[in-house]
DNA sequence: TTGCTCCTCACGTCACGTGAGGTGGC
DNA sequence: TTGCTCCTCACGTCACGTGAGGTGGC
């Protein structure tokens, strides 16, 4: 046992602010020199161990993997200084990530995280027009699926939809269709609504249809949302 | 298979910005609803899965353990809002920890991390008095050990040492003793230095000696630093 | 004697990642 | 046929923590 090797593992750990288990772990991993043992087999550490342990803790707290810490403890001063610079940059990046995480957390109770900025704008427009929550959620779900399966086409389609909302006739048809969800299947207003829809669609250049038929079905089918009046409306529009 | 369950695991993962493995992991852990399978046994997801997955990722990125994420997905809005507040506080604390880690990293190439603020001041005083680097490092190591084995006493002793440095005679003795390290063992100046040291010590109230004899040895022995002249000096002082 | 600190295995945890060996659709 | 995506195990990784079963000094 060397002259200065006097402190027990518990004292050493407390001095550096780490656990005893961590000290033993660092020794096993080769970061901390294997200490001398006293007559009871207890590890006895010296000042050099304390210094190395504080270095290890400082680097580990900075998120440096232990394998890298081991390299750094053996590095020359120039390499060490360069590494410190890199680690500091990484810490700054981590801090920025935390701020981004905070910003995203704040949006968790809105729809903003689940759809693109354009779709969010589009859904806001619908809400402004008095469209029902049910319909807006249905639209949101469709746009999520479209963006997942065909991101590029989805962007074009949502731009087209936003543009369509500029047309008063489209807005009127959209609102009426939303209302129609709860009508009776034999409501006398349905044939007229179907006619107006057909006329509006006929007057517009058709949207480029997607290659994948399952996507086409998505665009037209409004999955998950159906009602007797809507089924009737769909039938009237087909012919 | 439900109407809206159309996207593959790869699309879903890319949409949310996670790996396929993570999606399967969340499903196995019960965070994400078990999806429908298509005729090939492939998982098929819908818009609801995408929304849940983005929630999971947002919470996981915020450092929330998956077990807690699972609870939160099932929580009512009030509990959820309270949890968001807590998580945000935890994130702010993490950001503060990162700043502390950065500050400590910047001190890694000094002695400031290894000793208390008082000892750092004391060592700076010694450097200002022209004491050798060897002696300062020896002092640093002693104070590390003292603080590790007996923090409270160590604080009293370092205060006493700092006070002693106010005495010109102590400073002179200290400097001479530092120089004496490299002298020949039969240097004629040694007996005079021993006499002055003895006289100075005799004129001072003795320091309260520690109960533990191994600590007392530490204080007097300067572990690891020895030279022929110092051995002679020690012998002269003992009598 | 009691309580405290220390010892050595061996296995557990957390959030996935890696890799083997295979299938299904263009 | 080739390349791509998907499938299911089983085991690995990282930095320790937990716990069992024990010893040594006041």
């Amino acid at each position: 046992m060397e002259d200065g090797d006097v402190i027990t593992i518990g004292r050493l750990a407390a001095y550096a602010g780490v656990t005893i288990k961590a000290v033993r772990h660092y020794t096993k991993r080769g970061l901390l020199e294997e200490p001398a043992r006293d007559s009871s087999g207890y590890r006895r550490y010296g000042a050099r161990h304390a210094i190395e342990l504080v270095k290890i803790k400082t680097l580990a707290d900075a998120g440096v993997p232990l394998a890298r810490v081991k390299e750094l403890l053996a590095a020359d001063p120039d390499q060490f200084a360069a590494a410190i610079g890199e680690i500091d940059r990484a810490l700054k990046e981590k801090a920025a990530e935390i701020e981004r995480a905070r910003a995203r957390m704040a949006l968790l109770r809105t729809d903003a995280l689940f759809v693109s900025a354009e779709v969010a704008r589009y859904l806001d427009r619908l809400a402004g027009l008095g469209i029902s929550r049910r319909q807006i959620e249905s639209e949101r779900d469709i746009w999520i699926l479209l963006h997942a399966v065909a991101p590029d086409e989805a962007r074009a389609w949502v731009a087209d939809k936003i543009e369509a909302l500029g047309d008063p006739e489209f807005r009127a048809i959209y609102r009426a269709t939303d209302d129609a969800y709860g009508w009776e299947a034999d409501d006398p207003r349905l044939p007229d609504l179907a006619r107006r829809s057909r006329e509006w669609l006929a007057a517009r250049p058709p949207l480029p249809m997607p290659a994948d038929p399952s996507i086409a079905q998505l665009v037209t089918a409004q999955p998950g949302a159906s009602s007797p009046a809507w089924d009737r409306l769909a039938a009237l529009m087909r012919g």
Side-chain angles (χ1 to χ4, degrees), chain A residues 180-223:
Chain A
Y181 182 84
W183 294 351
E184 301 290 321
D186 58 358
D187 192 290
R189 292 166 292 183
L190 284 172
D192 188 53
L193 180 54
R195 187 189 45 76
R196 285 176 73 188
S197 295
R198 265 201 308 220
E199 283 175 11
W200 187 85
L201 282 168
R204 258 180 94 77
L207 261 178
M209 269 295 133
D212 187 333
S214 77
I215 298 179
Q217 210 187 355
L218 251 186
V219 185
T220 52
Q222 299 248 42

Side-chain angles (χ1 to χ4, degrees), chain A residues 157-178:
Chain A
W157 295 330
V158 73
D160 180 80
K161 272 274 195 158
I162 287 175
E163 200 233 299
L165 282 181
D167 178 353
E169 173 64 2
F170 178 76
R171 292 201 298 271
I173 292 170
Y174 195 110
R175 251 193 304 244
T177 306
D178 182 29

Side-chain angles (χ1 to χ4, degrees), chain A residues 37-115:
Chain A
R37 302 292 179 124
D38 65 16
S39 57
S40 313
Y42 288 13
R43 293 169 177 83
R44 291 291 182 165
Y45 296 91
R48 301 298 157 153
H49 290 107
I51 290 172
E52 291 302 290
L53 182 55
V54 169
K55 281 186 194 169
I56 292 166
K57 179 189 157 52
T58 304
L59 291 165
D61 284 352
V64 181
L66 295 191
R68 178 78 176 133
V69 171
K70 187 178 177 181
E71 287 174 14
L72 289 180
L73 293 176
D76 67 48
D78 281 356
Q79 292 173 319
F80 191 78
I84 298 279
E86 261 176 62
I87 295 163
D88 192 62
R89 273 189 292 282
L91 284 175
K92 277 168 79 173
E93 180 49 36
K94 251 190 195 166
E97 269 165 32
I98 285 179
E99 288 313 312
R100 285 194 287 272
R102 290 184 66 197
R104 288 172 60 84
M105 285 286 300
L107 295 175
L108 247 191
R109 303 182 67 207
T110 73
D111 278 346
L113 288 181
F114 313 132
V115 296

Side-chain angles (χ1 to χ4, degrees), chain A residues 125-143:
Chain A
R125 280 291 308 271
L126 295 185
L129 294 174
I131 299 302
S132 68
R133 184 71 200 154
R134 171 193 49 71
Q135 173 61 19
I136 290 173
E137 286 190 2
S138 174
E139 285 257 5
R140 181 198 62 189
D141 290 358
I142 290 166
W143 289 109

